[in-house]
Amino acid sequence: MAPQNEERAARLRAQANDPSFENVWQELRWRGLVHVSTDEAALEQALAGEPVSYYCGFDPTAPSLHLGHLVQLLTLRRLQLAGHRPYALVGGATGLIGDPRQTSERVLNSQETVAAWVESLRAQIEPYLSFEGENAATMVNNLDWTAGMSALDFLRDIGKNFRVGTMVKKEIVAKRLNSDEGISYTEFSYQVLQGNDFLELHRRHGVTLQTGGSDQWGNLTAGTELIRKVEGTHAHALGTPLITNADGTKFGKSEGNAVWLDAEMCSPYAFYQFWLNTADADVVDRLKVFTFLTRAEIEEYAQKVADEPFRREAQKRLAWEVTALAHGEETTTKVIEASQAVFGGGDLTTVDPDTLTAVLAELPQADRTQWEGEPGTVTAVELLVSTGLVASRSEARRTVRDGGASVNNVRVTDADQVFTRDDAFAGRHLLVRRGKKNMAGADLGEG
């Protein structure tokens, strides 16, 4: 395991269930993690008793997990902390198909691409679970039991247990059937594949509970019904709510790459800022779902939000906790230091260069086509104009003359001063500022 992953895993191992709850089911309900489930009383009783084997599946339809998956990872961890045995399934088989989307058919990725993404997702999942002890986690791949199954075996042994009338009533399938796009037999069959996964894990490992997002409810119950018909036993399903903002918008939908867990797809700085910008109306719910803070601690932050929302203490704690879980405490500290230096006008030379570069890249960027000098060189006037911090060259000169312009937090005194890669961080990035709050980045390009 990479050092950063070891750090995150150690942080998760230091967490504990909140002792103020009688059992883990009550804690899950208080945290808002129960949207729908099979027999609630029976499930609570099961989770309050002997260790239960449970699983959640993650399909490699992209090279990284996102914040929606993080809800499932932390739910898996909460159950493991309560003594239950987690199985994390990375769908090397189902990832070749992809579950039906709301709008249109998925693009089918190559086997080589999916196999690479399987390994990427496994590496992301590992730090969130403990693979040691009596309730050690197990990582599985549904390609192991699906690849060798013939089409005839699949139809005879698995498909015969599904009724088309029931399958077409699944919410997502019904929507697609009524759309202009329709749905292919491939995606229509996805629920059969996922149901078979639950059956296989039930047979191989005694798994009796599957967790997932509530939008997966049709797929979750496909497994419980298959187990009932084939094995004659009862299995459980738990659907967590889709996380939405207080205004009803889908959580993270407008944030682009800010929702990915992979640091290459979303910088730790952008990740931290995503959480720091949480609205007051949402922050307490986010603390419940995405952190391991106790009920007492979260109630304290709820009071702070009510009494002194301008201090944004709850948002700061949320951003710290989730970023530390996803990227490690050391990286989170560097992000905060870089942010303070950039936005507070501090000494940028003391900041971690890679983190600083990521911060600068998130700012509005200069248009290099407006620069007239040699590649890798730019004047102060051109920086101010091309970043949009001023409207004209004359305004740029006036800003410099009045002492209102700085580059890399150093005041500019000469409007014609030339900046080169020697002045830039990582040989290419400059921080351009007009006044205290108006900032932009300038990328000099590769040398």
Side-chain angles (χ1 to χ4, degrees), residues 349 375-378 407-408 417-430 444-445 447:
T349 62
T377 64
V378 60
V407 174
N408 294 346
Q417 180 178 347
V418 176
F419 296 89
T420 69
R421 292 191 175 92
D422 290 337
D423 304 303
F425 297 102
R428 58 187 298 177
H429 295 284
L430 297 170
L444 299 181

Side-chain angles (χ1 to χ4, degrees), residues 51-55 85 87 197-210 227 233-236:
V52 168
S53 294
Y54 62 100
Y55 94 98
R85 292 184 294 267
Y87 288 79
D197 289 342
F198 201 168
L199 176 62
E200 284 292 332
L201 290 174
H202 181 72
R203 286 171 168 172
R204 294 174 182 227
H205 304 289
V207 172
T208 58
L209 168 63
Q210 181 182 182
I227 290 171
T233 57
H234 185 70
H236 286 287

Side-chain angles (χ1 to χ4, degrees), residues 103-154:
T103 53
S104 62
E105 288 282 317
R106 290 183 180 273
V107 175
L108 298 183
N109 296 297
S110 69
Q111 293 187 18
E112 294 76 16
T113 295
V114 172
W117 288 353
V118 164
E119 295 307 310
S120 177
L121 266 57
R122 286 174 64 100
Q124 286 187 333
I125 292 169
E126 284 179 351
Y128 291 90
L129 300 171
S130 173
F131 291 82
E132 301 173 349
E134 293 182 358
N135 64 330
T138 301
M139 195 85 70
V140 294
N141 184 342
N142 58 17
L143 190 64
D144 293 342
W145 55 79
T146 306
M149 182 182 292
S150 71
L152 286 175
D153 290 339
F154 179 71

Side-chain angles (χ1 to χ4, degrees), residues 69-86:
H69 297 117
L70 186 58
V71 176
Q72 302 310 318
L73 289 173
L74 298 182
T75 301
L76 289 179
R77 182 56 178 159
R78 294 184 202 283
L79 289 168
Q80 187 179 31
L81 286 169
H84 303 294
R85 292 184 294 267

Side-chain angles (χ1 to χ4, degrees), residues 64-306:
S64 172
L65 300 175
H66 53 66
L67 295 187
H69 297 117
L70 186 58
V71 176
Q72 302 310 318
L73 289 173
L74 298 182
T75 301
L76 289 179
R77 182 56 178 159
R78 294 184 202 283
L79 289 168
Q80 187 179 31
L81 286 169
H84 303 294
R85 292 184 294 267
Y87 288 79
L89 184 151
V90 181
T94 42
L96 291 167
I97 303 301
D99 61 325
R101 295 189 302 180
Q102 294 279 350
T103 53
S104 62
E105 288 282 317
R106 290 183 180 273
V107 175
L108 298 183
N109 296 297
S110 69
Q111 293 187 18
E112 294 76 16
T113 295
V114 172
W117 288 353
V118 164
E119 295 307 310
S120 177
L121 266 57
R122 286 174 64 100
Q124 286 187 333
I125 292 169
E126 284 179 351
Y128 291 90
L129 300 171
S130 173
F131 291 82
E132 301 173 349
E134 293 182 358
N135 64 330
T138 301
M139 195 85 70
V140 294
N141 184 342
N142 58 17
L143 190 64
D144 293 342
W145 55 79
T146 306
M149 182 182 292
S150 71
L152 286 175
D153 290 339
F154 179 71
L155 292 172
R156 284 175 57 86
D157 298 338
I158 306 302
K160 70 177 181 180
N161 296 290
F162 287 79
R163 296 294 176 263
V164 172
T166 301
M167 294 174 69
V168 299
K169 292 178 182 178
K170 306 295 185 184
E171 182 180 1
I172 184 63
V173 173
K175 286 184 178 180
R176 286 284 297 279
L177 283 173
N178 293 323
S179 69
D180 293 336
E181 178 73 18
I183 188 171
S184 69
Y185 178 74
T186 298
E187 290 194 6
F188 178 68
S189 301
Y190 180 90
Q191 59 186 287
V192 182
L193 288 171
Q194 187 165 329
N196 185 52
D197 289 342
F198 201 168
L199 176 62
E200 284 292 332
L201 290 174
H202 181 72
R203 286 171 168 172
R204 294 174 182 227
H205 304 289
V207 172
T208 58
L209 168 63
Q210 181 182 182
T211 69
S214 59
D215 59 339
Q216 291 286 309
W217 187 243
N219 296 326
L220 300 180
T221 54
T224 60
E225 282 298 297
L226 182 61
I227 290 171
R228 182 184 62 81
K229 290 180 179 180
V230 175
E231 298 295 308
T233 57
H234 185 70
H236 286 287
L238 166 62
T240 61
L242 298 182
I243 307 299
T244 58
N245 294 318
D247 61 4
T249 58
K250 189 174 179 180
F251 177 58
K253 185 176 181 180
S254 64
E255 300 300 327
N257 65 355
V259 299
W260 296 105
L261 301 187
D262 187 287
E264 296 299 320
M265 297 176 67
C266 169
S267 72
Y269 166 76
F271 190 85
Y272 180 86
Q273 290 295 319
F274 174 86
W275 298 101
L276 192 62
N277 291 328
T278 302
D280 291 340
D282 298 314
V283 67
V284 174
D285 287 340
R286 301 291 178 263
L287 286 168
K288 291 180 179 180
V289 172
F290 291 99
T291 79
F292 288 86
L293 298 182
T294 65
R295 174 163 55 180
E297 289 174 313
I298 293 174
E299 288 174 349
E300 286 183 12
Y301 279 108
Q303 193 61 50
K304 291 178 180 180
V305 172

